[in-house]
Every structure is written in structure tokens, then in C-alpha cells.
Amino acid sequence: MTRESTHVSVFIARSAADVYAYASDPANLPAWAAGLSSSIAREGDHWVADSPMGQVFVAFAPPNDFGVLDHHVTLPGGDTVYNPVRVIPDGEHSEVVFTLRRREGMGVDEFTADAAAVTADLQRLKGLLER
């Protein structure tokens, strides 16, 4: 298998604490993460999202002081995808970095489309937080 990662990032004119507080709340995902969730609800210990891929289960990193927004997404077929995400302080602003990994069996075009979707999601997050 070809191992490949790309880092998609956006600078946001808000503090890392503000960005983390908003982005770490799963209830806010539908507003900015269309690539993951058009709606999300807590069911017991899990978050269940309606995504472009169908219903997925999302498990988030516990709240932390390091800006870690990592999450696992369990796809409808049962595969789980790990998504490393960081909110990095940059003075009074911040950078959000999403590490996108090419999954086994994922073609170049699909990987490119996935990166474009993550870019669009991060741009939406930026727009919401910089209003």
C-alpha cells in the first residue's frame, strides 16, 4: 500500500482557545464540517453523524489543553479512520492543521477530492470564527 499524508491548514484570526472551544464541540460540526456531518447527535457514549458516506460514528479526543481535536470516524462498512487535527497558537491567532491520510484502496483522484473537502471545511470554520 502507498502511504501518503497531506497537511491541510488554515490560519484563523482568533485565539487558539476560541478556535478550540468552538471546534471541539461536536454539536458545531454540521455548521462547518460538511465533509463529516450534516447532522450529529449523541447516542449513549457515541456521537452519530449523518455524513455524505452515510451514518458514521465519531469518537473525539477528550478535552485537553493542547489543542488536540483528533477523532476516529467509523464508516458505514465498519472501517475506522483516524483523523489527527491540531489547533496551534500563533500569537493572538491560530492555525488549524488537519492531517489527511490516504487510506488503503483510495485512488489519487479520491484522495485529492478528500483534501479539497477538508480545505472547504476548514475555510467554513475560518469564516464562522472570523465573522
Side-chain angles (χ1 to χ4, degrees):
M1 175 184 150
T2 302
R3 290 281 182 195
E4 182 179 354
S5 291
T6 190
H7 303 283
V8 180
S9 70
V10 64
F11 283 89
I12 300 177
R14 293 283 296 270
S15 72
D18 288 349
V19 173
Y20 179 82
Y22 183 83
S24 67
D25 182 349
N28 292 329
L29 283 173
W32 67 273
L36 174 61
S37 170
S38 60
S39 69
I40 192 163
R42 186 161 187 117
E43 293 185 8
D45 293 335
H46 303 283
W47 287 92
V48 180
D50 291 319
S51 81
M53 303 161 283
Q55 191 174 66
V56 297
F57 294 91
V58 188
F60 298 93
N64 62 84
D65 294 328
F66 301 106
V68 175
L69 294 173
D70 292 8
H71 55 282
H72 288 91
V73 178
T74 303
L75 304 174
D79 291 338
T80 298
V81 178
Y82 169 61
N83 298 293
V85 184
R86 301 292 184 275
V87 178
I88 302 168
D90 183 24
E92 295 178 11
H93 300 152
S94 59
E95 180 182 16
V96 178
V97 180
F98 188 114
T99 300
L100 181 63
R101 294 192 170 148
R102 186 171 166 191
R103 297 184 314 272
E104 186 172 344
M106 179 183 265
V108 173
D109 290 343
E110 186 180 0
F111 186 59
T112 300
D114 209 6
V118 170
T119 299
D121 287 350
L122 294 181
Q123 287 298 321
R124 263 189 301 283
L125 178 64
K126 176 184 175 73
L128 286 167
L129 290 172
E130 288 185 351
R131 277 194 229 170

